[in-house]
Amino acid sequence: MTIRVLVADDQHLMRAGLRGIVDTAADLTVIAEANTGLQAVDLARRERPDVVLMDIRMPDMDGLEATRLITASTDVRVLILTTFDLDDYVYQALRGGASGFLLKDTPPADLLAAIRVIASGDALLAPSITRRLIAEFAARPEPAPPAAGSGTAGSGTAGPDPLASITDRERQVLALVAEGLSNAEIARRLHIAPGTAKTHVGNLLTKLNARDRVHLVIYAYRAMGAPHQGQVPRPGDSS
């Protein structure tokens, strides 16, 4: 199955370069280009690509607002590409529903891999976006973005603790997701099949009402502080 990509950037040479990189992969294709944020929103809604490669600084509407509008009205996934490695940009991008954040100096092979990761339903941050940033994001007072459907993840609203609904194994998986491990790495760490790891992650997304892995990480930090070494404390445990 071919992954359909929309490129949104106000610089013609950058769009041409990204198109050239994407089109080198047999399983990826650029279906459209946008040179403004408004155009990106319109094209995303009309063409329904699998992934949007979104610049931040664009005329008419910046990429952060465009991302928010796209993810609020479609199931299209957004990968932010920028030259600016700024915490607040990443914070706003994640808050707006982006599934990934990469710098424009990312090697072509890594960009192609990132598009595939985002299209598969996972989330991805540039290596330079460290756990410090996720911890800062999780500490912000606003509620985490809601998943598609009802409810919010980690919103602080009174009610049953969602952690009470997850199993001990899912707690371990949540902690490893918070460490940034992939499904394959989680499987190796816990000595389980990759498919089983994927199932556990899917269960966590459903039970915690999180949109993707990034928001599972945010949930883990908000609910329990920074988990480590696969150990997630139960509610009420001292840590």
Side-chain angles (χ1 to χ4, degrees):
M1 180 178 177
T2 301
I3 297 171
R4 303 166 70 249
V5 179
L6 166 63
V7 175
D9 196 292
D10 63 332
Q11 298 182 28
H12 177 77
L13 288 177
M14 180 58 67
R15 293 198 308 275
L18 290 171
R19 175 184 280 276
I21 292 171
V22 171
D23 286 344
T24 63
D27 60 330
L28 308 177
T29 186
V30 174
I31 61 165
E33 297 179 14
N35 58 21
T36 72
L38 282 174
Q39 192 175 46
V41 174
D42 289 341
L43 285 169
R45 288 172 172 170
R46 184 167 69 248
E47 301 296 335
R48 297 300 175 104
D50 298 299
V51 177
V52 178
L53 298 183
M54 181 76 75
D55 187 25
I56 289 182
R57 294 188 175 181
M58 290 188 293
D60 295 340
M61 176 188 294
D62 67 31
L64 299 173
E65 177 64 10
T67 294
R68 186 187 69 78
L69 292 176
I70 290 170
T71 59
S73 59
T74 74
D75 59 358
V76 174
R77 301 176 67 79
V78 178
L79 174 58
I80 299 287
L81 291 177
T82 182
T83 55
F84 305 99
D85 185 8
L86 301 179
D87 285 4
D88 198 50
Y89 278 162
V90 182
Y91 170 79
Q92 292 182 62
L94 297 180
R95 181 69 67 198
S99 294
F101 190 103
L102 287 179
L103 300 182
K104 286 183 176 178
D105 62 0
T106 298
D110 291 347
L111 173 60
L112 297 177
I115 293 171
R116 296 184 182 104
V117 167
I118 298 300
S120 73
D122 282 340
L124 179 145
L125 295 175
S128 60
I129 309 303
T130 64
R131 191 175 302 165
R132 171 192 57 78
L133 175 62
I134 295 295
E136 178 185 347
F137 182 92
R140 304 262 181 145
E142 298 91 345
S150 61
T152 57
S155 64
T157 302
D161 184 353
L163 288 177
S165 69
I166 70 175
T167 66
D168 289 341
R169 177 62 89 188
E170 287 166 351
R171 290 172 185 275
Q172 292 178 307
V173 171
L174 179 60
L176 295 176
V177 169
E179 289 184 34
L181 273 63
S182 67
N183 288 346
E185 292 168 331
I186 291 171
R188 288 194 293 271
R189 182 78 67 87
L190 297 180
H191 307 290
I192 58 178
T196 302
K198 182 177 181 179
T199 297
H200 286 315
V201 171
N203 290 341
L204 287 167
L205 290 169
T206 299
K207 291 180 178 180
L208 301 181
N209 200 22
R211 182 174 50 244
D212 53 35
R213 296 174 82 95
V214 166
H215 293 89
L216 283 181
V217 174
I218 294 166
Y219 188 97
Y221 272 92
R222 277 201 169 130
M224 302 161 293
H228 48 273
Q229 296 182 352
Q231 298 301 315
V232 181
R234 296 177 179 279
D237 285 356
S238 58
S239 53

